[in-house]
Short mmCIF file of all heavy atoms in Angstrom, two decimals:
data_model
loop_
_atom_site.label_atom_id
_atom_site.label_comp_id
_atom_site.label_asym_id
_atom_site.label_seq_id
_atom_site.Cartn_x
_atom_site.Cartn_y
_atom_site.Cartn_z
N MET A 25 16.49 19.82 -20.73
CA MET A 25 15.78 18.87 -21.55
C MET A 25 14.28 19.20 -21.73
O MET A 25 13.71 19.23 -22.78
CB MET A 25 15.90 17.46 -20.90
CG MET A 25 17.04 16.67 -21.38
SD MET A 25 17.02 16.17 -23.12
CE MET A 25 15.86 14.82 -23.09
N GLU A 29 8.90 24.69 -18.88
CA GLU A 29 9.65 24.88 -17.57
C GLU A 29 8.73 24.80 -16.45
O GLU A 29 8.02 25.74 -16.13
CB GLU A 29 10.47 26.21 -17.60
CG GLU A 29 11.87 26.16 -18.00
CD GLU A 29 12.61 24.98 -17.33
OE1 GLU A 29 12.66 24.89 -16.08
OE2 GLU A 29 13.17 24.20 -18.06
N ILE A 30 8.71 23.63 -15.85
CA ILE A 30 7.90 23.51 -14.59
C ILE A 30 8.86 23.65 -13.50
O ILE A 30 9.95 23.04 -13.55
CB ILE A 30 7.21 22.14 -14.59
CG1 ILE A 30 6.62 21.75 -15.86
CG2 ILE A 30 6.20 22.08 -13.43
CD1 ILE A 30 6.39 20.24 -15.98
N TYR A 33 10.52 21.16 -7.53
CA TYR A 33 10.37 21.39 -6.09
C TYR A 33 11.00 20.31 -5.33
O TYR A 33 11.36 19.26 -5.86
CB TYR A 33 8.88 21.48 -5.76
CG TYR A 33 8.13 20.27 -6.09
CD1 TYR A 33 7.91 19.25 -5.14
CD2 TYR A 33 7.50 20.06 -7.33
CE1 TYR A 33 7.24 18.13 -5.38
CE2 TYR A 33 6.81 18.93 -7.62
CZ TYR A 33 6.67 17.97 -6.65
OH TYR A 33 5.99 16.83 -6.95
N ARG A 34 11.23 20.58 -4.07
CA ARG A 34 11.88 19.64 -3.23
C ARG A 34 10.90 18.62 -2.70
O ARG A 34 9.86 18.99 -2.18
CB ARG A 34 12.55 20.35 -2.15
CG ARG A 34 13.83 19.74 -1.66
CD ARG A 34 14.40 20.40 -0.51
NE ARG A 34 14.92 19.27 0.31
CZ ARG A 34 15.38 19.31 1.54
NH1 ARG A 34 15.34 20.47 2.14
NH2 ARG A 34 15.82 18.27 2.14
N MET A 35 11.25 17.37 -2.84
CA MET A 35 10.39 16.29 -2.37
C MET A 35 10.49 16.26 -0.85
O MET A 35 11.59 16.22 -0.31
CB MET A 35 10.87 14.97 -2.97
CG MET A 35 10.14 13.80 -2.49
SD MET A 35 8.58 13.73 -3.34
CE MET A 35 7.58 12.94 -2.04
N PRO A 38 7.17 11.76 4.17
CA PRO A 38 5.82 11.50 4.64
C PRO A 38 5.50 12.47 5.82
O PRO A 38 6.38 12.85 6.51
CB PRO A 38 5.85 10.06 5.14
CG PRO A 38 7.29 9.77 5.37
CD PRO A 38 8.07 10.60 4.45
N ARG A 47 -7.71 16.04 -2.02
CA ARG A 47 -7.33 14.69 -1.95
C ARG A 47 -7.52 14.15 -0.60
O ARG A 47 -7.93 13.07 -0.32
CB ARG A 47 -5.89 14.49 -2.44
CG ARG A 47 -5.34 13.10 -2.26
CD ARG A 47 -4.31 12.72 -3.25
NE ARG A 47 -4.15 11.23 -3.25
CZ ARG A 47 -3.16 10.64 -2.58
NH1 ARG A 47 -2.24 11.33 -1.97
NH2 ARG A 47 -3.10 9.36 -2.62
N LEU A 54 -13.72 8.47 1.49
CA LEU A 54 -13.79 7.20 0.74
C LEU A 54 -13.44 5.99 1.68
O LEU A 54 -14.10 4.97 1.69
CB LEU A 54 -12.80 7.21 -0.42
CG LEU A 54 -13.07 6.07 -1.42
CD1 LEU A 54 -14.28 6.37 -2.29
CD2 LEU A 54 -11.84 5.91 -2.27
N ARG A 61 -19.33 0.28 4.62
CA ARG A 61 -20.07 -0.59 3.71
C ARG A 61 -19.70 -2.05 3.89
O ARG A 61 -20.55 -2.89 3.73
CB ARG A 61 -19.84 -0.19 2.29
CG ARG A 61 -20.56 1.15 1.94
CD ARG A 61 -20.21 1.57 0.58
NE ARG A 61 -20.24 0.37 -0.31
CZ ARG A 61 -19.96 0.44 -1.66
NH1 ARG A 61 -19.64 1.65 -2.16
NH2 ARG A 61 -19.98 -0.60 -2.36
N LEU A 62 -18.41 -2.30 4.16
CA LEU A 62 -17.96 -3.71 4.26
C LEU A 62 -18.53 -4.41 5.40
O LEU A 62 -18.67 -5.66 5.45
CB LEU A 62 -16.45 -3.71 4.39
CG LEU A 62 -15.70 -3.66 3.04
CD1 LEU A 62 -14.19 -3.48 3.35
CD2 LEU A 62 -16.02 -4.78 2.17
N ASP A 66 -22.69 -8.12 1.70
CA ASP A 66 -22.97 -9.54 1.33
C ASP A 66 -24.06 -10.12 2.17
O ASP A 66 -24.43 -11.26 1.97
CB ASP A 66 -21.72 -10.38 1.56
CG ASP A 66 -21.45 -11.17 0.28
OD1 ASP A 66 -22.07 -10.87 -0.70
OD2 ASP A 66 -20.59 -12.09 0.31
N LYS A 136 3.13 1.63 1.06
CA LYS A 136 3.23 1.70 -0.41
C LYS A 136 2.60 2.91 -1.06
O LYS A 136 2.75 3.07 -2.26
CB LYS A 136 2.54 0.42 -0.95
CG LYS A 136 3.36 -0.73 -0.44
CD LYS A 136 3.24 -1.99 -1.19
CE LYS A 136 4.42 -2.91 -0.72
NZ LYS A 136 3.92 -4.20 -0.47
N HIS A 138 1.96 7.21 -0.71
CA HIS A 138 2.23 8.41 -0.09
C HIS A 138 0.92 9.16 0.13
O HIS A 138 0.23 9.56 -0.84
CB HIS A 138 3.18 9.29 -0.91
CG HIS A 138 3.49 10.61 -0.38
ND1 HIS A 138 4.13 10.84 0.73
CD2 HIS A 138 3.14 11.87 -0.87
CE1 HIS A 138 4.19 12.12 0.98
NE2 HIS A 138 3.59 12.81 0.03
N ASP A 208 1.51 -2.20 24.09
CA ASP A 208 0.72 -2.33 25.29
C ASP A 208 -0.56 -1.53 25.26
O ASP A 208 -1.48 -1.69 26.06
CB ASP A 208 1.46 -1.82 26.56
CG ASP A 208 2.87 -2.39 26.63
OD1 ASP A 208 3.73 -1.82 25.94
OD2 ASP A 208 3.00 -3.37 27.33
N ARG A 302 8.00 8.95 10.49
CA ARG A 302 8.79 7.73 10.66
C ARG A 302 7.86 6.50 10.80
O ARG A 302 8.32 5.44 11.02
CB ARG A 302 9.66 7.84 11.85
CG ARG A 302 10.67 8.99 11.82
CD ARG A 302 11.96 8.45 11.18
NE ARG A 302 12.73 9.63 10.73
CZ ARG A 302 13.78 9.59 9.96
NH1 ARG A 302 14.22 8.42 9.50
NH2 ARG A 302 14.43 10.66 9.60
N GLU A 305 8.36 3.26 8.58
CA GLU A 305 9.45 2.30 8.80
C GLU A 305 9.47 1.67 10.15
O GLU A 305 10.25 0.77 10.37
CB GLU A 305 10.81 3.08 8.55
CG GLU A 305 10.86 4.39 9.29
CD GLU A 305 11.88 5.36 8.69
OE1 GLU A 305 13.06 5.26 9.07
OE2 GLU A 305 11.52 6.12 7.77
N LYS B 31 20.00 6.92 3.82
CA LYS B 31 18.90 6.43 4.67
C LYS B 31 19.41 5.33 5.50
O LYS B 31 19.95 4.39 4.93
CB LYS B 31 17.77 5.99 3.73
CG LYS B 31 16.68 5.37 4.45
CD LYS B 31 15.76 6.36 5.01
CE LYS B 31 14.83 5.75 6.08
NZ LYS B 31 14.31 6.73 6.98
N LEU B 43 5.51 -2.60 27.96
CA LEU B 43 5.69 -1.72 29.05
C LEU B 43 6.54 -2.42 30.13
O LEU B 43 7.41 -1.82 30.77
CB LEU B 43 4.37 -1.25 29.57
CG LEU B 43 4.39 0.06 30.27
CD1 LEU B 43 4.85 1.14 29.28
CD2 LEU B 43 2.98 0.44 30.74
N GLU B 70 16.12 12.16 -16.61
CA GLU B 70 15.57 13.20 -17.51
C GLU B 70 14.08 13.01 -17.64
O GLU B 70 13.56 11.96 -17.50
CB GLU B 70 16.18 13.04 -18.89
CG GLU B 70 17.62 13.19 -18.96
CD GLU B 70 18.15 14.64 -18.77
OE1 GLU B 70 17.28 15.55 -18.77
OE2 GLU B 70 19.33 14.79 -18.58
N GLY B 94 8.21 9.39 -1.29
CA GLY B 94 7.87 10.15 -0.10
C GLY B 94 7.26 9.27 0.97
O GLY B 94 6.55 9.75 1.87
N ILE B 95 7.49 7.99 0.90
CA ILE B 95 6.92 7.10 1.92
C ILE B 95 7.86 7.02 3.08
O ILE B 95 7.51 6.97 4.22
CB ILE B 95 6.64 5.74 1.30
CG1 ILE B 95 5.47 5.83 0.33
CG2 ILE B 95 6.30 4.71 2.35
CD1 ILE B 95 5.28 4.72 -0.58
N GLU B 102 18.96 15.31 -0.77
CA GLU B 102 17.80 16.06 -1.27
C GLU B 102 17.27 15.34 -2.54
O GLU B 102 18.02 14.85 -3.35
CB GLU B 102 18.22 17.48 -1.65
CG GLU B 102 17.03 18.37 -1.89
CD GLU B 102 17.47 19.78 -2.06
OE1 GLU B 102 17.98 20.15 -3.17
OE2 GLU B 102 17.33 20.60 -1.14
N ILE B 103 15.93 15.33 -2.64
CA ILE B 103 15.32 14.81 -3.90
C ILE B 103 14.50 15.95 -4.43
O ILE B 103 13.71 16.51 -3.78
CB ILE B 103 14.37 13.62 -3.52
CG1 ILE B 103 15.17 12.46 -2.93
CG2 ILE B 103 13.62 13.12 -4.76
CD1 ILE B 103 14.29 11.41 -2.32
N LEU B 105 12.18 17.28 -7.82
CA LEU B 105 11.50 16.76 -9.01
C LEU B 105 10.61 17.83 -9.63
O LEU B 105 10.11 18.80 -8.97
CB LEU B 105 10.70 15.47 -8.77
CG LEU B 105 9.53 15.55 -7.79
CD1 LEU B 105 8.29 15.17 -8.57
CD2 LEU B 105 9.78 14.58 -6.68
N ARG B 106 10.29 17.65 -10.87
CA ARG B 106 9.46 18.52 -11.68
C ARG B 106 8.20 17.73 -11.96
O ARG B 106 8.30 16.64 -12.36
CB ARG B 106 10.11 18.83 -12.99
CG ARG B 106 10.76 20.20 -13.16
CD ARG B 106 11.36 20.25 -14.49
NE ARG B 106 12.80 20.49 -14.42
CZ ARG B 106 13.33 21.64 -14.13
NH1 ARG B 106 12.58 22.71 -13.99
NH2 ARG B 106 14.60 21.81 -14.05
N PRO B 111 1.74 8.83 -6.35
CA PRO B 111 2.07 8.64 -4.92
C PRO B 111 2.25 7.20 -4.52
O PRO B 111 2.30 6.90 -3.31
CB PRO B 111 0.80 9.22 -4.24
CG PRO B 111 -0.30 9.00 -5.22
CD PRO B 111 0.29 9.09 -6.58
N ILE B 113 3.84 2.99 -5.13
CA ILE B 113 4.95 2.27 -5.71
C ILE B 113 4.59 0.85 -6.06
O ILE B 113 5.42 0.09 -6.53
CB ILE B 113 6.17 2.20 -4.72
CG1 ILE B 113 5.74 1.56 -3.45
CG2 ILE B 113 6.77 3.55 -4.48
CD1 ILE B 113 6.96 1.06 -2.69
N GLU B 114 3.36 0.50 -5.86
CA GLU B 114 3.01 -0.85 -6.18
C GLU B 114 1.59 -0.87 -6.81
O GLU B 114 0.79 -0.07 -6.43
CB GLU B 114 3.01 -1.71 -4.97
CG GLU B 114 3.24 -3.15 -5.25
CD GLU B 114 3.26 -4.00 -3.95
OE1 GLU B 114 2.22 -4.35 -3.45
OE2 GLU B 114 4.38 -4.25 -3.47
N ASN B 120 -9.42 -4.59 -2.30
CA ASN B 120 -10.09 -5.40 -1.24
C ASN B 120 -10.68 -6.64 -1.87
O ASN B 120 -11.60 -6.50 -2.76
CB ASN B 120 -11.12 -4.53 -0.58
CG ASN B 120 -11.66 -5.21 0.68
OD1 ASN B 120 -11.88 -6.41 0.68
ND2 ASN B 120 -11.81 -4.47 1.69
N GLU B 127 -15.99 -1.71 -7.77
CA GLU B 127 -15.80 -0.93 -6.57
C GLU B 127 -14.30 -0.69 -6.34
O GLU B 127 -13.86 0.36 -5.98
CB GLU B 127 -16.44 -1.58 -5.41
CG GLU B 127 -17.91 -1.57 -5.47
CD GLU B 127 -18.61 -2.56 -4.51
OE1 GLU B 127 -18.09 -3.73 -4.49
OE2 GLU B 127 -19.52 -2.20 -3.83
N MET B 135 -7.31 6.36 -4.44
CA MET B 135 -6.16 6.20 -3.59
C MET B 135 -4.89 6.66 -4.37
O MET B 135 -3.99 7.25 -3.82
CB MET B 135 -6.04 4.69 -3.36
CG MET B 135 -5.28 4.33 -2.14
SD MET B 135 -6.34 4.27 -0.76
CE MET B 135 -7.01 2.68 -0.97
N LYS B 163 -16.33 -10.56 -7.55
CA LYS B 163 -15.46 -10.11 -6.46
C LYS B 163 -14.01 -10.42 -6.77
O LYS B 163 -13.67 -11.43 -7.46
CB LYS B 163 -15.85 -10.90 -5.20
CG LYS B 163 -17.05 -10.32 -4.52
CD LYS B 163 -17.23 -11.02 -3.23
CE LYS B 163 -18.56 -10.53 -2.68
NZ LYS B 163 -18.88 -11.26 -1.37
#
Side-chain angles (χ1 to χ4, degrees):
Chain A
M25 271 292 283
E29 264 314 303
I30 317 162
Y33 61 92
R34 212 185 141 190
M35 178 77 212
R47 173 150 196 261
L54 192 79
R61 287 176 41 182
L62 278 174
D66 234 9
K136 297 201 167 135
H138 174 66
D208 311 81
R302 300 269 161 194
E305 50 202 271
Chain B
K31 170 83 198 157
L43 207 59
E70 300 289 349
I95 292 165
E102 194 174 76
I103 299 170
L105 65 118
R106 257 178 240 281
I113 57 160
E114 205 178 82
N120 190 319
E127 293 163 312
M135 204 89 80
K163 280 188 186 175

